[in-house]
Amino acid sequence: MGSKNRNKGFIVWIDLRDRYGITQLVFDEKRTPKNVFEAAQGLGREFVIQVKGKVIERESKNPNMATGAIEVLVNELNVLNPSITPPFTIEDDTDGGEELRMQYRYLDLRRNPVKDNLLFRHKVNMEVRNYLSQSGFIDIETPYLIKSTPEGARDFVVPSRMNEGKFYALPQSPQTFKQLLMIGGLDKYFQIVKCFRDEDLRADRQPEFTQIDCEMTFVEQEDILIQFEGLTRHLLKEIKGVEVDDFPRISYDQAMKIYGTDKPDIRFGMCFKELNALAQGKGFGVFDNQELVVGITVPRSAEMSRKEIDALIDWMKRPQIGSKGLVYVKCNKDGSFKSSVDKFFSSKDLESWAKHCEAQAGDLILILSGEKKTTRIQLSALRIELATRLGLRNPFEFAPLWITDFPLLEWDDESKRYQAMHHPFTAPKPEHIEFLKSDPGSVKANAYDLVMNGNEIGGGSIRIHDQKLQAQLFDLLGFTTEEAKAQFGFLMNAFQYGAPPHGGIAFGLDRLVAILGGEETIRDFIAFPKNNSGRDVMIDTPSSLSQNQLDELYLKSTSKK
Ligand code: ASP
């Protein structure tokens, strides 16, 4: 494909591009046959051509190009297909906006940054396959036309033409099938598989995405953590050349307490320090009687100006975060303290806070107070924002960790009932089963997430393999016996035939690839992504069906014509 053409009248240069790079072609009035030279003058951008010629040494070499020392002096030219003018320039820095690039994604794919991302994804994919296959996992496909698998989202459904009024659901994950494979004796399964979740729109969320889905029998949590640390280590080494020895583990409760989130970025410190004992009861209404007073220490930031701090407070007050305010303590270089609450607290008080927060001279302490859950979420957002501003989130550093001991259930205020925190097949910790009746909210699960650089890259659990326990869980989650049977009877039945203990994990491949690639958006690593409203603007879908199709599927048209 010709990309850049320069025509000087007596000499024509063409950049010929394919997947492997660019080679310069030269057509020269003196050395090229006349008809070929004339044809070359008519070539345009993106024409597909076939040439024969002689590889010669270039007069002016380009050291920045792999083929910069040579060019091809052409003596035969065949235009395989001309091209109309592309809607944007096919160069690394294109003039095409996001929407236009998505609409002509096949042209966008010709650009190096996009192409390289797909090659990178291929490499990750192959490493995953090789590693898992060598570890004894077998790649098994599971069906896409299935029945609802609850992973906490809505199902995409497919109407059945053969069964009036009946629908398939597309899998939110192959969860129940991989469990059935374990009951089927397959022992170690994996699949790189599409999953579909009809969730509310959020930036960088795709309605269809890819998981590395895995399951094993006769394992405990420890076996799974070790196995998949192995995979992660392998990927980091092979793909990034980075050796990571340490996979710290912290419990969900600890993570919430120290980082205010279950996906902490641990490439930097700024851990939460609770200040209730030190800061309450001194007559400062904003702190007193609050469930939590908690601070972080921002390194080397005591010299932040009043204006900068005010801007930070405004940032915290935006509806996305919704904080009421922010208390600051500057630990000045000379050992003195200056805070926004000097009226209420003595220098001694501030000193004790600084000590508790492990703040050094020159650091800034920022403190929030309020209801535990909200305050933690707000402070967590502030922690990430400040670390980003301070350049502490190096995309070339990889800091994985496991979050363990998730609560089994989560109270949902809207439906006024418990929901599974992971999914309904997750096993409670054996020693907690007895509390399922008396205090379900306190029950912890053998569920774990693998987090890297502030992103959840994988999550899984040890599963229930006992029919009675599964029935008890469905009951707790508000399913009637009939509903549970109708929806999950197949699994409950299977549990009666000697189901082995099993557990597994699934990694989000799109996000994993983006993180390894050091980029933020997963869209850049998907060949044909949907936009933020779930649309594919290239093929223009979702779209309407013809009346005929609707009739065949027993569906009524709701479009207002
Ligand atoms: N099916 C789960 C998910 O999609 C993963 C697992 O539990 O293995 O998150």
Side-chain angles (χ1 to χ4, degrees):
M1 251 171 262
S3 64
K4 224 187 256 164
N5 308 339
R6 278 151 296 147
N7 187 342
K8 292 238 165 168
F10 54 93
I11 191 154
V12 176
W13 282 284
I14 304 253
D15 278 349
L16 185 68
R17 187 191 63 235
D18 65 9
R19 183 186 130 189
Y20 306 93
I22 283 176
T23 304
Q24 177 165 291
L25 306 182
V26 57
F27 302 77
D28 174 329
E29 207 174 23
K30 290 204 195 93
R31 292 176 292 172
T32 307
K34 190 158 184 275
N35 62 330
V36 175
F37 183 73
E38 277 167 11
Q41 287 178 311
L43 292 176
R45 279 172 181 270
E46 304 306 310
F47 275 41
V48 184
I49 58 171
Q50 182 181 39
V51 294
K52 274 195 187 151
K54 197 167 158 197
V55 177
I56 57 173
E57 190 176 348
R58 253 203 234 185
E59 252 168 48
S60 52
K61 301 193 177 37
N62 181 349
N64 302 322
M65 253 176 96
T67 56
I70 56 115
E71 57 191 359
V72 178
L73 180 64
V74 179
N75 55 37
E76 263 182 64
L77 167 68
N78 184 8
V79 176
L80 298 176
N81 211 349
S83 168
I84 55 172
T85 309
F88 50 86
T89 51
I90 310 226
E91 282 167 18
D92 292 5
D93 283 321
T94 179
D95 55 357
E98 177 84 6
E99 186 81 7
L100 202 58
R101 292 200 292 115
M102 287 303 152
Q103 195 182 341
Y104 295 91
R105 184 64 160 174
Y106 47 90
L107 295 180
D108 202 26
L109 294 175
R110 292 182 187 171
R111 295 173 50 240
N112 286 325
V114 187
K115 180 197 69 186
D116 290 345
N117 282 352
L118 293 184
L119 295 181
F120 183 76
R121 182 179 177 123
H122 164 76
K123 202 168 153 200
V124 175
N125 241 295
M126 296 313 284
E127 287 301 337
V128 169
R129 286 188 189 287
N130 289 339
Y131 181 87
L132 289 176
S133 178
Q134 271 164 24
S135 307
F137 286 80
I138 33 179
D139 181 354
I140 305 175
E141 289 172 75
T142 52
Y144 281 156
L145 294 175
I146 66 164
K147 206 162 160 159
S148 176
T149 328
E151 293 277 5
R154 284 194 187 81
D155 291 316
F156 280 103
V157 294
V158 180
S160 163
R161 181 181 58 82
M162 311 272 264
N163 303 274
E164 179 170 355
K166 300 273 194 269
F167 296 82
Y168 299 101
L170 298 179
Q172 292 185 36
S173 83
Q175 185 61 37
T176 48
F177 283 94
K178 65 174 172 175
Q179 293 191 239
L180 292 168
L181 288 173
M182 295 304 102
I183 298 173
L186 272 315
D187 186 43
K188 279 177 166 182
Y189 140 96
F190 88 100
Q191 185 180 193
I192 296 185
V193 62
K194 271 287 167 75
C195 301
F196 307 85
R197 296 186 191 175
D198 188 1
E199 288 179 290
D200 290 339
L201 302 172
R202 215 201 272 164
D204 212 31
R205 179 180 272 171
Q206 292 283 313
E208 53 176 305
F209 59 97
T210 308
Q211 284 190 343
I212 307 165
D213 193 43
C214 309
E215 197 76 4
M216 307 162 80
T217 46
F218 301 110
V219 283
E220 292 178 356
Q221 171 168 305
E222 187 63 21
D223 304 302
I224 296 187
L225 301 196
I226 298 288
Q227 178 74 59
F228 290 95
E229 262 173 45
L231 172 65
T232 313
R233 221 177 250 128
H234 176 81
L235 292 177
L236 285 171
K237 179 144 183 274
E238 293 303 317
I239 305 283
K240 304 301 296 182
V242 173
E243 306 251 8
V244 176
D245 295 327
D246 202 21
F247 281 67
R249 296 178 190 181
I250 59 173
S251 70
Y252 170 86
D253 287 346
Q254 281 292 91
M256 297 309 284
K257 200 173 152 71
I258 304 177
Y259 300 103
T261 170
D262 58 2
K263 27 183 182 297
D265 188 341
I266 57 163
R267 281 173 296 181
F268 57 95
M270 284 202 241
C271 297
F272 290 14
K273 298 287 178 187
E274 299 190 355
L275 290 158
N276 293 43
L278 295 174
Q280 286 184 325
K282 307 254 165 154
F284 181 51
V286 174
F287 285 173
D288 288 347
N289 306 320
Q290 294 296 347
E291 208 180 348
L292 183 66
V293 182
V294 59
I296 50 172
T297 299
V298 193
R300 297 175 302 280
S301 299
E303 273 155 27
M304 233 189 221
S305 68
R306 182 70 232 194
K307 211 168 142 206
E308 285 170 312
I309 294 185
D310 282 345
L312 205 55
I313 296 175
D314 286 343
W315 188 86
M316 290 295 286
K317 283 186 176 168
R318 292 169 316 139
Q320 294 94 312
I321 304 220
S323 163
K324 292 210 190 69
L326 189 61
V327 167
Y328 71 82
V329 180
K330 291 180 170 184
C331 308
N332 295 326
K333 290 221 171 93
D334 62 7
S336 68
F337 296 95
K338 168 90 195 83
S339 82
S340 51
V341 289
D342 282 350
K343 258 195 259 158
F344 300 89
F345 298 96
S346 67
S347 211
K348 265 231 141 8
D349 289 328
L350 301 182
E351 193 182 340
S352 72
W353 299 3
K355 194 163 172 232
H356 184 67
C357 293
E358 292 169 26
Q360 313 288 327
D363 291 349
L364 174 73
I365 305 174
L366 296 173
I367 304 167
L368 291 183
S369 62
E371 190 261 326
K372 219 181 228 172
K373 200 167 160 201
T374 332
T375 308
R376 283 175 173 168
I377 294 173
Q378 293 169 345
L379 192 61
S380 167
L382 180 65
R383 176 178 176 270
I384 293 292
E385 174 67 16
L386 288 171
T388 309
R389 289 190 196 178
L390 291 170
L392 302 175
R393 306 183 73 206
N394 173 3
F396 301 105
E397 188 186 334
F398 298 93
L401 81 156
W402 290 105
I403 309 293
T404 60
D405 305 330
F406 275 84
L408 181 72
L409 304 162
E410 186 174 32
W411 182 256
D412 179 43
D413 263 339
E414 222 170 88
S415 58
K416 300 262 172 293
R417 68 158 56 119
Y418 282 109
Q419 288 187 344
M421 184 119 178
H422 188 43
H423 51 55
F425 315 106
T426 295
K429 283 188 180 287
E431 64 276 21
H432 288 191
I433 291 178
E434 56 174 310
F435 306 119
L436 276 177
K437 279 211 184 78
S438 56
D439 185 9
S442 74
V443 173
K444 295 285 195 285
N446 273 326
Y448 32 81
D449 276 355
L450 183 58
V451 172
M452 190 147 69
N453 298 2
N455 295 282
E456 177 202 328
I457 58 164
S461 58
I462 298 296
R463 327 296 184 188
I464 296 170
H465 62 279
D466 173 75
Q467 194 227 13
K468 285 204 195 73
L469 184 57
Q470 188 67 73
Q472 190 182 354
L473 244 291
F474 284 136
D475 182 43
L476 249 174
L477 296 171
F479 289 83
T480 64
T481 316
E482 292 71 40
E483 283 166 344
K485 205 164 161 208
Q487 220 179 325
F488 304 110
F490 62 95
L491 187 66
M492 310 265 268
N493 266 342
F495 283 161
Q496 298 180 101
Y497 293 94
H502 58 287
I505 192 167
F507 288 78
L509 179 69
D510 310 282
R511 172 126 304 118
L512 177 65
V513 172
I515 295 172
L516 292 175
E519 287 191 37
E520 292 282 314
T521 54
I522 62 174
R523 247 204 316 267
D524 296 341
F525 292 88
I526 298 173
F528 298 105
K530 308 263 186 294
N531 72 9
N532 278 348
S533 352
R535 293 194 64 79
D536 182 325
V537 292
M538 181 182 64
I539 58 173
D540 189 21
T541 207
S543 49
S544 318
L545 295 181
S546 70
Q547 192 56 51
N548 248 352
Q549 279 175 302
L550 290 171
D551 291 344
E552 269 180 354
L553 296 168
Y554 312 97
L555 297 174
K556 283 204 188 70
S557 168
T558 53
S559 69
K560 299 170 204 90
K561 277 192 198 140

